[in-house]
Amino acid sequence: MPNAKAGPSRLEQKLRAEMTGDVFFDRFNRGRYATDASFYQVIPAGVVVPRTMDEALRALAIARDDGRIVTPRGGGTSQCGQTVNEGIVVDFSKHLNRIVSLDVEGRTCVVEPGIVLDDLNRQLKKHGLWFPVDVSTASRATIGGMAGNNSCGGRSLRYGTMRDNTIAINAALADGTLAHFGEVARDLRDVSAPESARTLFRDMLALGEREAAEIADRFPKVQRRVGGYNLDALTPRNAANNLAHLLVGSEGTLAFSTRIELKLWPLIRTKVLGVCHFGSFYQAMDAAQHLVKLKPIAVELVDRTMIGLGRDIAMFQPVIAAAVRGDPDAILVVEFAEETKDENLAKLKQLSELMGDLGFSWSNEICKWGGVVEISDPALQTAVADFRAAGLNVMMSMKEAGKPVSFVEDCAVPLPHLADYTARLNEVFARHGTRGTMYAHASEGCLHVRPVLNLKLEKDVKAMRAIAEEAFAMVREYKGSHSGEHGDGIVRSEFHEQMFGSRIVADFKEVKQRFDPANVLNPGRIVDPPRMDDRSLFRYPPDYRIVDDIKPVLDWSAYPGAAGGFQGAVEMCNNNGACRKLDGGVMCPSYRATRDEKDVTRGRANTLRLAISGQLGPGALSSDEMMETLKLCVSCKACRRECPTGVDMAKMKIEVLAARATTHGLTLRDRLVAYLPRYADMAARIAPLVNLRNHVAPLRVLMERVAGISAKRKLPAFRTDTFRVDADAFGPADGREVVLFGDTFNRVYERENLDAALRVLIAGGYRVYVPKPADGGRALCCGRTFLSAGLVDEAQSELQRLVETYAPFASRGVPIIGLEPSCLLTLRDELLSLRNDATAKTISAHALLLEEFLAREAESGRLALPLAPLPGKALLHGHCHQKSFAAFKPVEQVLRLIPELTVETIESSCCGMAGAFGYGAETYEVSLQMAEASLLPAVRNADAATFIVADGTSCRHQIQDGAARGAVHAAQLLAMSLERAQAST
């Protein structure tokens, strides 16, 4: 990669002068755009993120005049290498994402190409409409990218492909000519366009007429055929000659889409799922051809491998437990969406009868073991759909050097051949020393098939080539399509001649030459491609190595690769982009605020991979650019849970901070935050003096200048009456034992929370220990603040004191209960990354948040807590770490134990304060943007009588600062209810 220190080129200067959007020519940003969800990597010359469509077209013109190629890009989720190339990448996703017009009655809309499918459907929902090309990447796939790939989705059986639902496309040709591509008369009498465009249209229709017989003979007769250019749209046999369909599937090689007109459909009002279980994968594939006769809208495969991996991923464990019975070799999720509930239930009954007619029964032996699990609950249906949609990421969650590789993953064959095709394909895999994973669209004979290979090894690259050739030969034998959904890109374009014949491939070249004679637009994709196994284009080229000086400070031994497994952990990111979702869950809050690739988990993981492999130059891991990359990472840990491959960016950030602290030292703010537990008690003794900063404006300004702490923020106020107890134990001597962990934040700033928790536990009949540190010194600390500055040795020191103090209790099974999620959950997470001895594991296993403990006690019937009614409503915000560790639902459960209290949860991402993040002068504004996404508006809309509940110290302060409302820990509501009950007796 060229030296980033060189001065700006003439091209860069020209782009910067004429763009208000971002222009990137530095190696860090270029590296972030060098990959998509394929195994390829091509470093672009530069990146433009235009604010307007005029800017996008101006970027095209400037790059063309400079002799550069241009690649349009949406969400960057392509699996075949379509969106990586060596010229200028133009990212449409950040700004060019509006609905331009909507015709509700006519069921059409016009959109900009950068709009994300889920975002489009959220806006359409209130009108009772949706766009049904429901790809699994709907949370980040843009409509422009879907048009470029001719995406299909799981319900194409009813709704068709992207092509079937695209009415028209406005586009710019490579030379800047603007044209409308839609339905035309073959004599073009109805076309109003520049003469150059009319001539192009005429030539394309003439090509379709000339080649009609060859097209009819060579194009596969399956719906899932998205390879090459859609020349069949040009032939006279079409009732409507829609030139937009030639652009659909063209992968940015023919024109720049500026606006896309879509066909919309009524929302599905009611549906049911029948989860068909099979003891034999072959039998499942053979059954698919029969199941589709019931006219479902989808039949989706989930194989044994995916089920097994899903059981190891926390977010998918509940849905698998609810929807999967026994130990199937495969399941087919059959979806019905008729007009009424009764019709759907009738379909489910027919499905069960059909399974019986096919010879399947729960009581049979393996070959014909099976049956149907019926799912009518909408929440469980959504969970099943989410699990299936996460198929690629689930498969990629394998913690081994080999990964399921996409290259034959969406071949489509006629359904009667599906069982034989998959059986033969498994034999091919076995011959080449590997195995494959299979899932997805059984209804269309289009399975996502991925052999497990390690593309860092030459032998596995050769195996990939051989498997591709054998698989595509089989597909041709069955009259299928070698590209059934994900397009061509680098990985499949090479095989077009075998699929379509030399004459059709010559036609493809003619189309490309007529649209783009200077070969400006995304060349080498579809036409004149490189070899699919050209390792110089791989993410892991032959010279890929991890630099020798990477010395991780945490335990990454669960992963393969160099640097103690840190390599393998970083490489778990497959670029599929689940972290780019804009709604639901928590991940990734900084991206939701900025929409910048730099600030999404994928972008950070790519940067780390490039840094540790030396591709960003020496010292990249601790560089200023790396810190800029991670500056807005709030360590929310959402990616740890919500990224299906488990990319734990919060943990990886500690590695970067540690490297940074070693090479560059600490800033004053780092020291103030990190060492808080060690000076907190001293500060509390002179609290009025320390707190002056909050009340004297010049002191705020001075602190911002010298320490980078925003003058716009009040700091948490120290108090002189910190939480201290004289006795070591409280409550009945014969009560069940628990330990109460007094974290620094609640102990020093909000002792009333610890007081409330202590009262609740005593009233529940527990023997509560608040042990003094084993070394007799200052109060215990989890080390969290030290980790936030990369001071891992100091964090280990703090945890050692904690472990020594709590070990005697944990060894006899005593729960260790905490209130602050970020502190208590450090014992479940980072503690085990710093030491994996038996004592640490025991303490980790017994660490519980207060609500987790109380919910568990209530479920077991052991909780005897007298609670009086609290009439009213509690509005509840969950701390990110609670959500990451599945510790949030217990908060809801415990608060619902309070009589007459209505509990309503705010569907929020990170509050934005995130420890010290929201106090930074340079991160203050982004902090508020995160909070304004949903949290603060919900709090402002709550009436004055509503309790605002947030367990996180930082969350409560963000709510106070941003909405001028006090928020309380759940322990305080429990104590309030308890006190009322005690007062009444």
Side-chain angles (χ1 to χ4, degrees), residues 273-276 291 294 332 334 336 346-356 372:
L273 301 182
V275 182
C276 298
L291 301 184
L294 296 179
L332 292 177
V334 184
F336 298 105
K347 288 283 189 179
L348 277 182
K349 182 179 179 182
Q350 293 173 26
L351 180 64
S352 292
E353 291 171 349
L354 177 57
M355 286 288 285
V372 182

Side-chain angles (χ1 to χ4, degrees), residues 785-802:
T785 59
F786 289 111
L787 291 172
S788 71
L791 299 178
V792 173
D793 288 343
E794 300 292 351
Q796 284 180 313
S797 176
E798 295 298 329
L799 284 167
Q800 175 61 26
R801 298 176 67 242
L802 184 147

